[in-house]
Amino acid sequence: MFFLKKLTHTISLHPSYFGPDMQAQLKEKLYDDVEGTCTGRYGYVITVLSLHSIGKGKILPGSGLAEFKVNYEAIVFKPFKGEVLDAVVTTVNKMGFFADAGPLQVFVSNHLIPTDMKFDANGNPPCYSSEDQVIQKDVQVRLKIVGTRVDATEIFAIGTIKEDYLGVISS
């Protein structure tokens, strides 16, 4: 699920960047530091929408770097149990398959794939197939998240396609 979240970040800026263009440097460094990262608490930071405030800089003794506290608003992506996502299959093996839903990688175990779909190891590429569906690399699937595990810098998810209206949506 996508959320609009107000966040804060502390930026260290080298003295060579002090001057009239410092605000632009701070903004660029914020984008580089946080876009595409994952915080366990809020999820993946997709993009920074706006900068609300840049605090007064504090010079760090010994290094000359200045530390700025920045308040900003960003779009974040945090998956939840029971959420239905569209994803692209990246890897297929006898244990199941991996699919990417944006920055999130979801594993779908062979126990969470319908029983009529059989793994074909001899296929090129390897795939799960039934009479009307084939799951192989680069196929779009609709899946439901059955569990997530959150680390400090990454989110892992387990999914299923063993329910109605889930499975291959395009080849």
Side-chain angles (χ1 to χ4, degrees), residues 34-170:
V34 300
E35 283 185 346
T37 61
C38 177
T39 64
R41 186 172 180 191
Y42 301 115
Y44 293 95
V45 177
I46 303 299
T47 188
V48 174
L49 290 180
S50 63
L51 230 77
H52 289 295
S53 67
I54 299 173
K56 291 185 178 182
K58 180 180 177 186
I59 304 291
L60 300 175
S63 66
L65 296 174
E67 229 176 42
F68 296 88
K69 191 171 182 180
V70 180
N71 294 319
Y72 64 97
E73 196 169 46
I75 294 177
V76 296
F77 170 65
K78 183 162 184 172
F80 290 99
K81 184 178 177 181
E83 185 174 357
V84 176
L85 299 172
D86 291 350
V88 177
V89 175
T90 56
T91 308
V92 179
N93 59 39
K94 66 179 180 183
M95 301 300 289
F97 66 86
F98 288 93
D100 288 342
L104 177 70
Q105 187 173 56
V106 181
F107 176 68
V108 179
S109 167
N110 58 1
H111 300 292
L112 299 171
I113 295 173
T115 53
D116 66 325
M117 296 193 90
K118 301 295 180 209
F119 180 67
D120 180 12
N122 298 326
N124 192 12
C127 63
Y128 281 91
S129 59
S130 66
E131 291 178 13
D132 58 339
Q133 291 186 17
V134 176
I135 295 177
Q136 61 188 19
K137 188 177 183 332
D138 296 326
V139 168
Q140 286 188 341
V141 292
R142 182 161 291 141
L143 52 87
K144 181 178 179 180
I145 295 178
V146 294
T148 59
R149 190 181 92 222
V150 179
D151 282 353
T153 59
E154 201 169 358
I155 299 174
F156 302 96
I158 304 293
T160 182
I161 58 168
K162 208 173 184 175
E163 294 181 17
D164 292 341
Y165 306 107
L166 300 179
V168 176
I169 51 177
S170 75

